[in-house]
Amino acid sequence: IVPLSVAHCNALGDPELAVFLGDWAWAATVGGEPVAAGGIWEAWHGRGHCWFASREFDFDRRWWPSITKAVKDAADRGLSTGTFRRVEMTVYDSHEAAKRWAVKLGFTPEARCKKLMADGSDGWIYARTE
């Protein structure tokens, strides 16, 4: 797990991820090549939104323990230092594994929202607070 760079975003095929560059963004690398990226985007003072991106076609499940630790550690650090009062994430309603992952990360489901996700599908908001 290393700090996210523009080169990582480009290598993942998603240069738009560069909008998230900063103290709370990271890349998971294998052999120096990024396989996923994630972090916490500061929506406004005290409120962070977790995000995660990977290339589904070549993502190896063996990387999940390290990625899970990075996400959990970032949320823990952000809340314990007072940087964030609230850290949230959105999860597709149809993605049961992602819902389980959110709970494993210490997030609590708050609400099911219609048409929340980028593709117009329903989603859940999960959150952790200080």
Side-chain angles (χ1 to χ4, degrees):
I1 305 293
V2 299
L4 182 67
S5 71
V6 171
H8 294 133
C9 299
N10 291 335
L12 285 168
D14 197 351
E16 292 83 17
L17 291 176
V19 301
F20 296 121
L21 290 175
D23 294 341
W24 298 95
W26 50 266
T29 62
V30 173
E33 292 298 315
V35 296
I40 303 173
W41 169 70
E42 188 172 5
W44 56 71
H45 181 72
R47 179 179 174 214
H49 186 87
C50 281
W51 63 274
F52 177 79
S54 70
R55 293 183 299 201
E56 196 72 31
F57 66 89
D58 66 352
F59 190 79
D60 189 322
R61 298 265 180 230
R62 292 177 296 170
W63 304 328
W64 272 118
S66 296
I67 289 169
T68 296
K69 182 177 181 345
V71 174
K72 186 167 185 331
D73 288 352
D76 289 348
R77 184 169 42 97
L79 291 166
S80 70
T81 62
T83 301
F84 302 112
R85 292 182 306 277
R86 172 187 177 85
V87 177
E88 62 190 34
M89 63 191 300
T90 55
V91 177
Y92 284 91
D93 184 44
S94 61
H95 201 310
E96 295 302 320
K99 292 177 190 176
R100 289 190 302 274
W101 189 53
V103 171
K104 183 175 184 166
L105 293 167
F107 288 76
T108 301
E110 290 188 332
R112 180 177 179 267
C113 304
K114 292 185 178 281
K115 303 190 183 301
L116 177 68
M117 307 309 283
D119 66 358
S121 63
D122 295 350
W124 278 88
I125 296 175
Y126 284 73
R128 287 182 57 184
T129 57
E130 56 183 354

